[in-house]
Amino acid sequence: MSLPIRHVADPHEQAIAREAAQILDTLRPSLQGEQQMVTLPPTLAHLLSEVLGRLAQGEALAILPAGRELTTQEAADLLGVSRPFLIEKVLEAGRLPYRRVGKHRRIRLGDLLDYQQQDLEERQAAADELTREAQDMGLY
């Protein structure tokens, strides 16, 4: 299983998350005493399970709000591309919104994740089309 690229909690999940956070805040390190329980919806349970599983494996995680703004270098690193490629082929081509702060560009994390998902879907569709064409020509 893998973490979703982006999960936006609906109002019901937000209320449950608030309740769970309050319960976790009241727990003592010894975890002795009265137990309190919260039933999580499957999406939140999976997300929490995945986070804990990755931490248990010693992986580092970054959990950031979608509204956080990234530098072009941070955005390029997240996408696995060079900064010049990001600027020329993505930002200046109008494929991803950004704003300027003085001479610098800033990209909302949520916008970057949306772009990343859209790009992944487009590349998958192109690969599927190439596979279909190869099958039609008897090459695959």
Side-chain angles (χ1 to χ4, degrees):
M1 294 189 176
S2 63
L3 285 171
I5 291 176
R6 182 177 190 186
H7 176 77
V8 179
D10 62 33
H12 177 68
E13 290 175 337
Q14 291 173 9
I16 291 171
R18 275 192 296 278
E19 183 182 350
Q22 289 172 348
I23 289 171
L24 287 173
D25 284 344
T26 63
L27 293 177
R28 300 291 175 249
S30 67
L31 297 178
Q32 293 177 349
E34 182 180 329
Q35 291 186 346
Q36 299 180 25
M37 294 180 52
V38 172
T39 302
L40 298 177
T43 54
L44 289 181
H46 172 71
L47 190 63
L48 184 56
S49 174
E50 188 72 26
V51 166
L52 292 174
R54 287 177 182 254
L55 290 173
Q57 294 173 5
E59 290 186 41
L61 296 177
I63 299 174
L64 303 170
R68 167 143 185 255
E69 290 188 322
L70 305 173
T71 66
T72 52
Q73 187 62 59
E74 290 170 328
D77 290 346
L78 198 144
L79 292 177
V81 299
S82 70
R83 185 177 162 275
F85 177 88
L86 173 75
I87 291 169
E88 182 180 330
K89 303 293 186 186
V90 179
L91 299 180
E92 296 299 328
R95 298 197 66 206
L96 178 62
Y98 66 93
R99 73 180 186 103
R100 286 198 177 264
V101 177
K103 299 185 318 183
H104 304 282
R105 295 171 184 90
R106 295 292 181 262
I107 300 132
R108 278 188 66 253
L109 176 60
D111 292 337
L112 184 71
L113 295 176
D114 289 344
Y115 166 79
Q116 185 181 44
Q117 183 64 39
Q118 178 184 354
D119 184 61
L120 178 65
E121 290 168 3
E122 288 171 3
R123 287 186 288 122
Q124 185 61 53
D128 291 346
E129 179 62 26
L130 286 173
T131 302
R132 275 192 296 280
E133 288 176 10
Q135 287 174 338
D136 291 345
M137 293 189 295
L139 300 173
Y140 184 66

